């Protein structure tokens, strides 16, 4: 860190120093502004967000001017302290940002230490991990933002405190692994006293005491915990504490030494996911550019043209810069723009986003504008479940996100201007590069795009390509052969790459022989359709294919069946009925021959022309395509089914047809891995389901695959995708007269329509589903239908009508022997009784639900039940118990990353805070809920705004002031 740099602290009072001299930061409002900038760690913050942080949702009319004054005073304070001439606080668009090196903010150092500590722990270097954790915790000087007033600061303090507790837990667990159980008991006792309801520290304390030879003291901690939880919350200890208690009672000798976990030593406690998480730290800027080929050659003039265009746009800073790159298939548009984008990436620090729009793809439908918007928004850090439902709102959110940022957007293979226009940034500082086979003249005329056409390489550039790929010695050895190869390739980059790959794999063959084979090969593909090209690559493909070993050639043909050009290693293995290890080695041969690319590890892409050629070859093999698709379908169905049941433990089982020989589905048992798999494969899954739905004899697999996708699509808020997918499944099961499939599809359609507020359609499908489940004597299916009926009625406020349905669901789950379903239904029953005013009965049902849920380990339903218990205790006047229940729900919601349910619980928590006189805490909780609901649930947002208005009126009546800062 430079001696002239300013360093800042937020893990305690907000302060700033230059060297040893502290810089005066002025009024509390000025420090709030600085803190809001610092917590974004170098990213821009809009003026609106800064105003919200200082004044909440009722800023004075002079707020904008006051903000400018605060920024001016902060800059002047830092200039007077002798900082470098460039401003520490920079104006960006309509907002501001702070220039921050990685080591000048204590929060950044804290997060960096946590990440390094986690890596050291995985590598088994406990001493270094412990030192990093200790150093990270030493940065704290009291509560975060300790000297700042207002609801925004309180919300940030809550978030920061959770990060500190996570780091503290990681430190204690590391110390246990290092055998420091004697040394940590005193500090643990202090932490337990300060955080009495946080069971994780009590669990660690019990183990530390037991390892110190103090078995009685460890058991006493358990008894104290049991009494405290019963008195405060009306529940017993969680499963972790109970399990540890039983092991201590048995004198389990394994507790006396750290148990081993893969890669590093471990404690006897179960590992806690996310212990070193940085929580709500800003999402890293996307860096999505594909691999830049090290053998790229030529295009010097075109590269310079785009670089000059980008530089002029940055210098002018008057608007976004748009470059349209067009040309025929195989001319190297994607390779070119990726290369240029890598050269320019450093000038766009707020992210580089790459998106293939599949505008001209023989196998893949073009990406819709709304899907493209969704993908880009997710790339910029917007959670899928927080996306607005309609395209106009998504476009508005996109424009807001990139305001004041410098982003490089690469849109590859666009179909037309309409497909991409909503994706074009409307702010200065951004660069957009688009490729297409279409001229996209509309973008030139209406949007002022710079038009760049890529033709065939010059002969000199084509020769440079061969030199880069084969080496100068070999190319110079026979100039005549080199010229023949260049002429036969028509100077097309794709053809040159294929020829060079073939020659490179046969180093003993002269270029003259390569040229003879190339020029003598029969023509087996039509010429490219672009009128400006006389290029014929079919002979190149054929020549390259003929040189493959039989099994490699078969794999190449099978890849034409893949639902999308980008597929995983496991998908390819299933297509060809090969072990993964064998598929990997064959793919390496295809990659070396440039018939397949591997842009990211484990993902394989075939150029659209090569896919067309592979499909042509496959059609010559009788029955090969059917067998390959059956294997593909089985792989996706069995893997998706396992992943879905991992995400939701209460899903019922289905009777799947066994996977055919040669197919090895993935056994995904970790929820995070399940979500990651669905994220990567959801596009392929949708295509496979659609094809299965249209294939006679595959009706069962179609609805079962749609069923397996339901949980993931629901979590990501993609209701319209759900409806479309289930309609495909419905057509299939009706055609196949599959009654069980019809029942499941009707219920899933009802769920999707209910979430989309299509109540009439939801009820219609539910009635049909229930009738079929009754016909089949399927108790679990009937119970779930009754639960769905109750949910629809409850949303309409008719809780009395919902009660019989929930009772019926509980009874049928119990008769069916399904404790997980029964527990969730009991919670729903308790909540519904609570809404009718029968709170004593509600309390009993929810407590029964919680006990069952702890046994089955359903954390999602546990969080919902704790929220129900909080509401019921509030209604009974047990406000302290209500607060404790809400905290338990929030802890689980945050572990699960369930932001929407966290906001709902915050809304309920605010009512309890208000009832206890903690008006400031109530406003903070409603403020958090409002920010979430504004993006996800407009009706809920309006409900929360009304409660905040009521609160301000009460404050005004009590104090005569309307300023929201007094609440």
């Amino acid at each position: 860190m430079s001696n002239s740099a300013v360093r800042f602290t937020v893990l305690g009072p907000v302060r700033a120093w230059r060297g040893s001299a502290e810089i005066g930061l002025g009024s509390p409002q000025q420090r709030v502004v600085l803190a809001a900038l610092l917590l974004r760690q170098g990213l821009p913050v809009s003026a609106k967000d800064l105003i919200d942080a200082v004044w909440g949702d009722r800023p004075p009319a002079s707020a904008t001017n006051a903000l400018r004054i605060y920024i001016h005073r902060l800059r002047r304070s830092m200039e007077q302290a002798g900082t470098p001439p460039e401003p520490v606080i920079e104006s960006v668009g309509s907002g501001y940002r702070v220039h921050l090196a990685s080591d000048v903010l204590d929060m950044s150092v804290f997060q960096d230490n946590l990440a390094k500590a986690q890596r050291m722990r995985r590598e088994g270097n406990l001493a270094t991990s412990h030192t990093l954790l200790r150093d990270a915790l030493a940065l704290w000087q009291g509560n975060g933002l300790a000297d700042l007033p207002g609801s925004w600061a309180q919300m940030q303090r809550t978030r920061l405190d959770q990060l500190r507790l996570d780091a503290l837990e990681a430190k204690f667990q590391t110390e246990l692994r290092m055998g420091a159980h004697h040394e940590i008991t005193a500090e643990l006792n202090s932490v337990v006293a300060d955080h009495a309801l946080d069971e994780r520290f009590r669990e660690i304390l019990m183990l530390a005491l037991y390892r110190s030879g103090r078995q009685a003291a460890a058991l006493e901690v358990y008894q104290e915990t049991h009494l405290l939880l019963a008195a405060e919350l009306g529940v017993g200890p969680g499963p972790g504490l109970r399990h540890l208690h039983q092991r201590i009672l048995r004198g389990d000798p394994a507790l006396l030494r750290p148990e081993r976990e893969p890669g590093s030593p471990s404690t006897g406690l179960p590992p806690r996911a996310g212990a070193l998480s940085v929580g709500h730290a800003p999402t890293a800027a996307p860096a999505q550019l594909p691999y830049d080929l090290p053998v790229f050659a030529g295009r010097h003039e075109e590269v310079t043209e785009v670089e000059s265009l980008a530089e002029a746009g940055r210098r002018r800073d008057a608007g976004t810069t748009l470059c349209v790159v067009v040309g025929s298939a195989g001319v190297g548009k994607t390779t070119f723009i990726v290369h240029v984008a890598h050269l320019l990436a450093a000038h766009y620090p707020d992210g580089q986003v790459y998106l293939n729009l599949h505008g001209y793809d023989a196998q893949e439908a073009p990406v819709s504008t709304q899907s493209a918007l969704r993908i880009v928004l997710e790339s910029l850090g917007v959670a899928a479940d927080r996306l607005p439902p309609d395209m106009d709102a998504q476009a508005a959110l996109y424009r807001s996100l990139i305001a004041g940022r410098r982003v490089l957007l690469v849109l590859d293979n666009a179909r037309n201007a309409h497909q991409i226009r909503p994706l074009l940034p409307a702010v200065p500082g951004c660069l957009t590069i688009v490729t297409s086979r279409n001229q996209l003249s509309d973008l030139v005329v209406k949007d002022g795009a710079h038009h760049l056409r890529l033709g065939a390489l010059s002969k000199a550039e084509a020769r440079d390509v061969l030199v880069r790929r084969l080496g100068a010695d070999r190319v110079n050895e026979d100039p005549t052969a080199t010229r023949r190869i260049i002429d036969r390739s028509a100077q097309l980059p794709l053809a040159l790459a294929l020829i060079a790959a073939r020659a490179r794999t046969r180093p003993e063959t002269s270029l003259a022989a390569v040229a003879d084979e190339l020029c003598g090969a029969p023509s087996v593909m039509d010429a490219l359709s672009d009128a400006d090209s006389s290029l014929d690559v079919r002979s190149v493909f054929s020549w390259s294919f003929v040189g493959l070993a039989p099994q490699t050639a078969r794999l190449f043909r099978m890849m034409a069946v893949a639902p999308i050009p980008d597929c995983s290693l496991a998908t390819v293995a299933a297509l060809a009925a090969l072990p993964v290890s064998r598929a990997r080695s064959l793919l390496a041969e295809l990659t070396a021959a440039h018939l397949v690319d591997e842009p990211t590890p484990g993902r394989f892409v075939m150029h659209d022309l090569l896919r067309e050629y592979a499909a042509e070859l496959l059609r010559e093999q009788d029955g090969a395509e059917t067998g390959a698709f059956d294997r593909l379908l089985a792989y996706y169905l069995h893997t998706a089914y396992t992943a879905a049941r991992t995400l939701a433990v209460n899903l019922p089982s289905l009777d799947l047809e066994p996977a055919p020989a040669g197919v090895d589905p993935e056994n995904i048992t970790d929820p995070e891995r399940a979500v990651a798999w669905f994220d990567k494969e959801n596009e392929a899954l949708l295509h496979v389901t659609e094809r299965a739905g249209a294939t006679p004899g595959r009706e069962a697999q179609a609805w079962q695959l749609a069923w397996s996708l339901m949980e993931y699509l629901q979590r990501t808020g993609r209701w319209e995708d759900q409806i479309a997918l289930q309609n495909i499944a419905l057509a299939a099961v009706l055609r196949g007269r599959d009654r069980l499939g019809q029942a499941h599809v009707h219920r899933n359609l009802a769920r999707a329509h209910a979430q989309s507020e299509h109540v009439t359609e939801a009820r219609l499908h539910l009635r049909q589903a229930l009738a079929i489940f009754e016909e089949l004597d399927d108790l679990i299916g009937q119970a779930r239908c009754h639960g769905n009926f109750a949910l629809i009625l409850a949303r309409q406020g008719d809780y009395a009508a919902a009660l019989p349905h929930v009772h019926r669901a509980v009874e049928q789950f119990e008769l069916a022997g399904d404790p997980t379903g029964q527990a969730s239904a009991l919670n729903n029953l308790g909540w519904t009784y609570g809404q009718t005013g029968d709170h004593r009965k509600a309390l009993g049902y929810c407590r029964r639900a919680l006990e069952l849920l702890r046994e089955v380990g359903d954390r999602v339903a546990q969080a919902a039940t704790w929220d129900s218990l909080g509401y019921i205790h509030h209604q009974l006047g047990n406000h302290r118990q209500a607060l404790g229940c809400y905290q338990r729900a929030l802890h689980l919601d945050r572990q699960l990353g369930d932001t929407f349910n966290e906001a709902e619980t915050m809304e309920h928590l605010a009512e309890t805070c208000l009832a206890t006189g903690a008006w400031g805490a109530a406003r903070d909780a409603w403020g958090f809920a409002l920010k979430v609901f504004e993006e996800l649930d407009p009706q809920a947002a309006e409900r929360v705004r009304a409660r905040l208005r009521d609160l301000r009126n009460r404050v005004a009546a009590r104090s005569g002031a309307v300023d929201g800062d007094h609440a």
Side-chain angles (χ1 to χ4, degrees), residues 654-655 703 738-745 772-773 776 778:
L654 298 180
D655 185 16
W703 79 257
D738 183 340
R739 295 296 282 167
L740 179 62
Q742 290 172 32
H744 280 289
V745 173
I772 299 173
F773 280 128
L776 299 174
D778 187 326

Side-chain angles (χ1 to χ4, degrees), residues 568-571 580 603 634-643 646 663-669 673 677 681:
S568 69
L569 173 62
T571 304
V580 169
R603 306 291 299 186
Y635 162 75
Y636 275 123
L637 172 56
H638 283 265
T639 305
Y641 173 72
T642 302
T646 296
V663 176
D664 187 16
E666 297 181 64
N667 185 27
I668 300 175
T669 58
R673 186 178 165 222
W677 185 82
E681 300 292 348

Side-chain angles (χ1 to χ4, degrees), residues 285-322:
Q288 300 178 343
L289 298 179
Y291 180 59
D292 184 18
L293 288 179
V295 293
F296 180 87
R299 306 293 190 196
H300 304 295
E301 292 182 6
E302 293 92 338
V303 169
T304 300
E305 185 174 342
V306 179
E307 286 182 317
S308 299
L309 175 70
E311 182 182 358
R314 294 193 302 273
R315 185 172 59 248
R316 184 172 63 251
D317 205 27
T320 188
T321 304
L322 173 60

Side-chain angles (χ1 to χ4, degrees), residues 732-811:
V733 294
L734 289 174
R735 184 181 69 243
R737 300 181 181 181
D738 183 340
R739 295 296 282 167
L740 179 62
Q742 290 172 32
H744 280 289
V745 173
H746 278 303
R747 193 180 82 85
N748 285 338
L749 272 168
R751 293 170 62 197
H753 279 298
Q755 292 289 353
S756 301
E757 303 299 334
H758 306 152
V759 176
T760 302
E761 293 89 340
R763 285 180 164 172
L764 174 64
H765 285 293
L766 264 184
R767 282 194 290 269
Q768 293 180 77
L770 181 59
I772 299 173
F773 280 128
E774 288 174 343
E775 169 194 324
L776 299 174
D777 198 24
D778 187 326
L779 289 174
I780 292 178
Q782 294 173 51
R784 292 177 182 276
C785 287
H786 282 294
N788 295 139
F789 272 122
L791 177 62
I792 292 173
L793 291 165
R795 284 187 172 182
Q796 296 176 309
D798 195 351
Y799 296 101
L803 272 174
H805 286 289
V806 193
H807 271 294
R808 188 68 176 145
V810 172
E811 293 166 2

Side-chain angles (χ1 to χ4, degrees), residues 348-363:
Y348 301 92
D350 297 317
Q352 304 93 45
V353 177
Y354 174 87
L355 179 59
N356 186 349
L357 296 165
H358 300 295
Y360 292 87
D361 193 313
Q363 302 292 328

Side-chain angles (χ1 to χ4, degrees), residues 478-496:
D478 191 340
T480 301
T482 299
R483 283 196 298 272
R484 292 175 65 204
I485 290 171
I486 290 173
D487 289 341
R488 188 68 179 106
S489 74
Q491 296 132 243
L492 186 70
L494 175 61
L496 287 165

